[in-house]
Amino acid sequence: MNNNQLYRFSSITEYHRAAGLPKPAHPLISLVHMDDLTRPLAEGSFSLIYDFYSISMKRVKNAKFKYGQQASDFDEGVLFFMSPGQLFGMEIEKGTAPHPPEGWMILIHPDFLWNTPLAKTIKQYEFFNYSVYEALYLSDKEETILSTIAQNIEQEYHANIDRFSQSVIIAQLELLLTYSERYYQRQFITRKMINHEILTKLEDLLAGYFDSGMLAQKGLPSVSYIAENLNISPGYLSSLLKSLTGQNTQQHLHHKLIELAKEKLSTTNLSVSEIAYELGFEHLQSFSKLFKTKTNLSPLEFRHSFN
């Protein structure tokens, strides 16, 4: 394969063929050991898109994974997730050859989840839409627990398929995802310095946006606009804020907007209509409704409370 190319795999069988692996025992689900890969999918800089879910526990020496301006290495064991259609970029460092990758990868076609509760609940796990550098860094104990679950899936995957097989595999997948959710919550807490930097950048970004008069012109910034300027994915930003503040990104934005509204109502002589306009609301009723929802007071009642 050539450098700087985009490769898309519509089926698990197609991926197996490109990676030099035997045909999967089941067309809709597969567990791959990274050291079984006989050849790299590509060299240099390239991007991948799968039309199926993937859950990967990997170590790859001398390989950089990029998202925007961010780069991460996989020298240590990390777990990362991809949903169908998500773009995954990888770059092999010049002048070096990557060591054989270690770990495992579970590939799950959406059709495998049909008529199971996981078909709906899998969309609730926001880490499937995190970027690669927001991967889950595992302790040795955590890695052992998840790898044991993966082994259980592999044993069932290679056993004789019967009417219980899908249910057993689905149950193991749900257990793996539940543990992953727990470990991500731990990571939000333990990586305090990095998370503090993100929150500081977020506050600076919002302050600059509010001070520039952009609220009146364009209204509140979108979640995707904020995430792009912070070089993180919208899902990771929302999960991080929810873990640290109890609010998702949209709720955090509304909180900041109401705080700014309180400041204008209590320190200026602007009318409520003028304040609503400065805050990006086309209609006074929309501003008043949001303000009362968040404070249990109308804007005028809040202002009168200072007199």
Side-chain angles (χ1 to χ4, degrees):
M1 293 185 178
N2 298 323
N3 293 344
N4 301 311
Q5 294 292 315
L6 172 64
Y7 305 104
R8 183 161 199 154
F9 298 100
S10 59
S11 70
I12 296 174
T13 300
E14 186 180 350
Y15 173 85
H16 271 239
R17 187 183 306 118
L21 295 167
K23 184 178 179 180
H26 193 296
L28 300 181
I29 188 166
S30 176
L31 191 144
V32 175
H33 290 279
M34 304 309 300
D35 54 8
D36 288 339
L37 299 177
T38 60
R39 60 174 177 265
L41 292 174
E43 297 177 350
S45 178
F46 60 94
S47 296
L48 304 172
I49 296 178
Y50 302 148
D51 288 338
F52 40 84
Y53 293 97
S54 74
I55 304 171
S56 305
M57 205 297 291
K58 290 185 179 182
R59 290 187 185 87
V60 186
K61 301 289 186 180
N62 301 330
K64 297 295 182 183
F65 300 81
K66 288 192 170 182
Y67 177 84
Q69 300 302 312
Q70 302 286 341
S72 293
D73 63 69
F74 277 23
D75 287 353
E76 301 299 328
V78 296
L79 194 73
F80 71 99
F81 304 78
M82 289 177 62
S83 59
Q86 186 177 5
L87 184 68
F88 167 67
M90 181 174 177
E91 180 179 338
I92 305 300
E93 293 180 349
K94 293 182 179 179
T96 61
H99 293 262
E102 302 172 6
W104 45 265
M105 177 167 55
I106 302 173
L107 308 177
I108 313 147
H109 195 281
D111 290 355
F112 184 77
L113 307 178
W114 278 4
N115 296 320
T116 73
L118 191 56
K120 292 183 178 180
T121 58
I122 196 170
K123 295 179 174 60
Q124 299 174 8
Y125 294 101
E126 295 180 333
F127 44 72
F128 272 106
N129 292 309
Y130 292 171
S131 61
V132 173
Y133 86 97
E134 297 157 349
L136 178 58
Y137 290 79
L138 300 169
S139 68
D140 291 342
K141 180 180 179 180
E142 292 168 348
E143 183 177 330
T144 298
I145 290 173
L146 296 183
S147 293
T148 298
I149 298 173
Q151 290 171 8
N152 293 338
I153 293 173
E154 182 178 27
Q155 289 174 4
E156 188 65 28
Y157 167 74
H158 286 297
N160 293 327
I161 300 298
D162 59 29
R163 65 189 183 92
F164 297 100
S165 300
Q166 183 187 34
S167 297
V168 171
I169 293 175
I170 291 293
Q172 292 296 314
L173 286 172
E174 290 176 329
L175 182 60
L176 190 151
L177 295 175
T178 300
Y179 270 114
S180 300
E181 181 73 30
R182 168 189 278 183
Y183 297 156
Y184 256 115
Q185 295 305 311
R186 182 268 306 156
Q187 181 163 293
F188 289 139
I189 296 171
T190 56
R191 305 186 78 193
K192 290 181 179 179
M193 183 174 295
I194 295 174
N195 294 336
H196 178 72
E197 291 175 356
I198 293 175
L199 291 179
T200 299
K201 290 179 180 178
L202 172 61
E203 296 307 310
D204 291 343
L205 176 65
L206 293 180
Y209 188 93
F210 290 170
D211 292 342
S212 69
M214 294 290 286
L215 275 173
Q217 299 176 33
K218 297 185 176 182
L220 275 177
S222 66
V223 175
S224 59
Y225 169 87
I226 294 172
E228 182 179 350
N229 278 271
L230 295 177
N231 284 319
I232 61 179
S233 66
Y236 189 86
L237 174 61
S238 183
S239 296
L240 173 61
L241 285 174
K242 198 178 298 181
S243 173
L244 299 180
T245 69
Q247 300 174 322
N248 62 30
T249 308
Q250 195 65 47
Q251 291 168 335
H252 187 75
L253 286 172
H254 284 161
H255 174 76
K256 291 295 180 181
L257 188 69
I258 295 302
E259 291 302 305
L260 183 57
K262 288 179 178 179
E263 178 184 331
K264 290 181 179 293
L265 286 166
S266 60
T267 63
T268 74
N269 293 320
L270 295 172
S271 68
V272 175
S273 295
E274 290 171 327
I275 292 173
Y277 174 77
E278 287 194 358
L279 297 180
F281 289 87
E282 294 184 8
H283 305 289
L284 174 60
Q285 295 88 341
S286 299
F287 168 64
S288 297
K289 181 179 180 180
L290 178 63
F291 192 91
K292 187 159 188 176
T293 299
K294 298 297 183 180
T295 67
N296 293 320
L297 295 171
S298 70
L300 280 177
E301 288 172 337
F302 178 84
R303 170 168 276 174
H304 292 159
S305 69
F306 285 87
N307 297 332

